[in-house]
Amino acid sequence: MASNDNMTAQEYKIYREPKKVNKYGVAPKAQRYYDGIFYDSKAEMKYAMNLDLLKLIGDVEKWEYHTTYELEVNGEKIGTYELDFKVFYKDGTVKYIDVKGNHSGLPWQMYLLKKKLMKAIYNITIEEEFNY
């Protein structure tokens, strides 16, 4: 549209309507879909693609997406933690991966607390991946 003068009322309404943006800056669902799964972020989707490549070349036996753990201390439920990826390697090692796009603010602080609880309760060390 070259000018607002030539718009119909409906076109102008659409033009002026605020664009819907995800409050967390997450890409649209269609851009986060891979192999039958809608991932929480494009970074997680790319990480899953990489894991599938590692499966093809034989380094990774299998991987799981979004494994949930109960965080309970002295019989009191504190909350839950949803791990992004649990990766089983051919040599028998298991890695626990959380794909991170941002490491600041309250969400980061909450993640660090849950990471410590995972270590204390399950003796699981979570590794972060930032480069996806």
Side-chain angles (χ1 to χ4, degrees), residues 20 22 25-33 38-42:
K20 292 180 182 176
N22 183 291
V26 176
K29 244 183 163 178
Q31 293 178 16
R32 297 179 282 120
Y33 183 79
F38 287 104
Y39 290 87
D40 288 348
S41 68
K42 284 170 66 173

Side-chain angles (χ1 to χ4, degrees), residues 5-115:
D5 298 334
N6 298 331
M7 287 185 189
T8 66
Q10 180 64 25
E11 290 171 333
Y12 183 74
K13 182 180 176 188
I14 293 169
Y15 172 77
R16 293 295 300 157
E17 200 171 90
K19 305 294 182 249
K20 292 180 182 176
V21 177
N22 183 291
K23 69 179 181 177
Y24 300 109
V26 176
K29 244 183 163 178
Q31 293 178 16
R32 297 179 282 120
Y33 183 79
Y34 167 69
D35 200 27
I37 299 172
F38 287 104
Y39 290 87
D40 288 348
S41 68
K42 284 170 66 173
E44 286 183 9
M45 180 190 72
K46 289 177 184 177
Y47 193 78
M49 294 169 119
N50 186 56
L51 289 174
D52 281 345
L53 287 174
L54 291 174
K55 264 179 75 174
L56 281 174
I57 63 171
D59 290 349
V60 169
E61 185 176 322
K62 67 177 185 169
W63 57 270
E64 298 172 0
Y65 180 63
H66 277 190
T67 305
T68 302
Y69 294 87
E70 296 291 324
L71 301 175
E72 193 174 293
V73 177
N74 297 329
E76 186 75 29
K77 183 178 177 182
I78 306 298
T80 59
Y81 174 71
E82 190 172 71
L83 178 71
D84 288 339
F85 295 94
K86 186 175 181 180
V87 185
F88 300 85
Y89 289 87
K90 291 280 183 169
D91 65 4
T93 58
V94 178
K95 288 193 177 182
Y96 303 87
I97 307 293
D98 202 306
V99 177
K100 292 290 177 203
N102 189 354
H103 53 282
S104 65
L106 188 58
W108 177 253
Q109 297 302 316
M110 193 67 136
Y111 163 73
L112 291 177
L113 175 62
K114 288 184 175 187
K115 179 180 177 177

